[in-house]
Amino acid sequence: MDERNWAGNYSYKAPVVRPQSVDEVQSLVATHERVRALGTRHSFTDIADTDGVLVSLQGLPLALRIDEPRRTASVSGGTTFHTLTRQLYRQGWALPTLASLPHISVAGAIATGTHGSGKQVKSLAAMVSALEVVRADGELRRIARDDPEFDGSVVNLGALGVVTRVTLDLLPTFDMWQVVWLDMPWDAMLADFDTLVSSGYSVSLFTTWTGPTVSQLWVKGLAGVQPPDLHPARPAGSTVHMIPGLSRRAVTEQLGVVGPWHERLPHFRPSFTPSSGAELQTEYLVPVAHAHEAIEGLRARGDQFTPILQVSEIRTVAADNLWLSGAFATDVIALHFTWQPEGEAVYALLPELERLLLPLGARPHWGKCFTATGPELSAAYPMLDRFRQLRDRSDPTRKFDNAFLDRVL
């Protein structure tokens, strides 16, 4: 059977096995020379592939355990955020952030540095307080925040082993609203960028980088907090999709209607194909100090994007301490590109994007399309050498290596 990623642009070479227990995972890892963990396949490259065997954790039981005194939840790494958040909500708990898509797995999302949005909101990986990892010898090891290797082990690119269980920080459940504003003039946005991205718990700006305005601003806020007035933009009078022409039924509820946190923080409902489906994605995380320069540089190149761009999103992510996080040690803006599914044209354009953004300290999202390799990434990720050393100690036989890791490490 042809095993593909969700966008359909990549076919996995390796066979996929679906163990039903952690013991089975340990046996598979111990008895194979080359292994990689396969999540929900939302990456757009060969990051999860191998010339050995792919291990899918979706057959493992949810096994949710909530520690109320510590405010943590422990869950199987193959669990999707949609499944997890429904369970947490029913028991009165919440996560502080979610990605745009609820369809992705917990372990896969944190391994690649996936994030949501918010001036004070950190990445999904920053919620992690402990991991259980099957190492190259098949042994199961727990790594917690007090472990000296913890900060290098969370955003791990699958290079350290198979993460079978993740423990996440919790908050008491809360309600939110979501409103959309249209056609914010670029000059007004840039003049007060910090105030704009601080106008809600989570704020996303959508643009095609051409024209005089930012086409949409999605603001998600806490119930009991008044939605902002973002004049001179105008409020949307009906629900909108960020990509013109796609079904509005796919997006989470707007128009200021209050609802549970897990039904407002994502952009997309779990029952619909996320985003457009037929697409490629790229994202670079740039220090906030260089936000204006990055945005102006992209606007100047907008005409180059038009033939293959569906939409771009601008978000903010707060700093954390995780070595391979896009927000390591600095607050960042996330510059996201949803492309038409035209791989040759996209990869021809990426070097131009990276010539602009890498000198500004940009870090590529590990699960999306980029062309930068080891030397360039060492400048962007200052802890990359320490991560290489950690990988060598954890996996001396390179059981978890693949072509992607050869390029970036």
Side-chain angles (χ1 to χ4, degrees):
M1 186 173 94
D2 185 19
E3 301 275 5
R4 290 178 171 265
N5 63 347
W6 81 286
N9 71 297
Y10 186 82
S11 295
Y12 297 98
K13 302 189 298 288
V16 180
V17 293
R18 296 172 173 83
Q20 303 299 302
S21 70
V22 174
D23 286 345
E24 285 187 54
V25 176
Q26 291 179 260
S27 177
L28 282 163
V29 172
T31 56
H32 286 80
E33 291 185 6
R34 302 277 271 190
V35 180
R36 292 286 286 177
L38 182 67
T40 43
R41 312 182 192 203
H42 194 262
S43 295
F44 295 82
T45 69
D46 57 347
I47 184 173
D49 211 353
T50 178
D51 55 8
V53 63
L54 286 168
V55 177
S56 169
L57 301 182
Q58 291 184 294
L60 299 186
L62 173 70
L64 175 64
R65 298 195 292 265
I66 294 176
D67 186 328
E68 295 195 2
R70 289 186 171 87
R71 291 192 174 189
T72 62
S74 173
V75 67
S76 169
T79 305
T80 65
F81 277 98
H82 168 55
T83 299
L84 173 60
T85 56
R86 286 187 304 165
Q87 294 286 339
L88 292 177
Y89 176 68
R90 289 171 186 160
Q91 299 187 53
W93 294 99
L95 299 174
T97 185
L98 290 172
S100 300
L101 312 177
H103 312 71
I104 56 180
S105 69
V106 173
I110 66 172
T112 54
T114 298
H115 58 86
S117 173
K119 184 74 183 300
Q120 307 296 327
V121 178
K122 298 180 181 180
S123 71
L124 302 183
M127 299 187 294
V128 175
S129 63
L131 300 167
E132 292 182 15
V133 187
V134 177
R135 288 289 176 85
D137 58 4
E139 291 299 311
L140 185 66
R141 179 178 172 192
R142 188 176 190 272
I143 306 170
R145 276 202 179 110
D146 57 359
D147 191 302
E149 295 184 348
F150 177 82
D151 286 343
S153 299
V154 182
V155 183
N156 57 61
L157 313 184
L160 306 181
V162 179
V163 176
T164 56
R165 177 163 287 275
V166 181
T167 303
L168 301 168
D169 297 331
L170 298 179
L171 297 172
T173 192
F174 56 94
D175 289 337
M176 303 187 75
W177 45 259
Q178 178 173 223
V179 296
V180 177
W181 289 74
L182 307 175
D183 298 324
M184 170 68 78
W186 278 107
D187 289 347
M189 188 276 278
L190 289 169
D192 209 2
F193 180 76
D194 187 71
T195 299
L196 185 63
V197 297
S198 303
S199 62
Y201 186 95
S202 170
V203 178
S204 294
L205 291 69
F206 291 96
T207 180
T208 58
W209 302 107
T210 57
T213 65
V214 177
S215 56
Q216 298 179 21
L217 296 88
W218 292 32
V219 183
K220 305 168 193 279
L222 299 175
V225 176
Q226 188 71 18
D229 181 349
L230 298 183
H231 182 81
R234 56 188 176 86
S238 60
T239 298
V240 298
H241 195 294
M242 71 284 290
I243 301 176
L246 296 188
S247 174
R248 295 175 295 176
R249 294 190 304 154
V251 301
T252 47
E253 194 157 4
Q254 301 171 8
L255 304 175
V257 178
V258 172
W261 58 278
H262 66 296
E263 295 179 359
R264 295 297 181 274
L265 280 173
H267 292 336
F268 299 99
R269 299 176 189 264
S271 55
F272 286 83
T273 299
S275 198
S276 72
E279 64 190 57
L280 296 176
Q281 293 182 12
T282 294
E283 185 174 53
Y284 298 96
L285 296 103
V286 178
V288 167
H290 298 298
H292 281 229
E293 189 175 352
I295 289 170
E296 293 286 24
L298 292 170
R299 288 187 65 205
R301 292 161 174 79
D303 290 341
Q304 299 177 39
F305 309 149
T306 300
I308 58 171
L309 182 68
Q310 296 190 41
V311 73
S312 261
E313 182 178 10
I314 303 171
R315 291 184 283 178
T316 52
V317 187
D320 59 47
N321 298 315
L322 306 175
W323 294 356
L324 296 192
S325 167
F328 172 74
T330 185
D331 297 339
V332 294
I333 61 164
L335 301 166
H336 188 279
F337 302 81
T338 299
W339 308 108
Q340 300 290 350
E342 300 176 18
E344 187 174 339
V346 168
Y347 276 92
L349 183 59
L350 292 182
E352 173 70 14
L353 275 179
E354 292 177 6
R355 278 192 290 271
L356 166 68
L357 297 175
L358 291 183
L360 302 179
R363 297 164 178 165
H365 186 299
W366 296 110
K368 303 183 188 294
C369 302
F370 63 93
T371 62
T373 56
E376 298 156 305
L377 295 170
S378 291
Y381 290 91
M383 302 299 284
L384 196 58
D385 277 341
R386 284 191 64 184
F387 181 80
R388 292 185 182 106
Q389 295 165 17
L390 174 58
R391 184 273 307 267
D392 291 343
R393 293 194 302 273
S394 302
D395 183 21
T397 65
R398 304 289 175 90
K399 179 172 286 193
F400 302 112
D401 267 19
N402 64 358
F404 176 88
L405 293 181
D406 287 344
R407 293 195 303 273
V408 303
L409 296 183

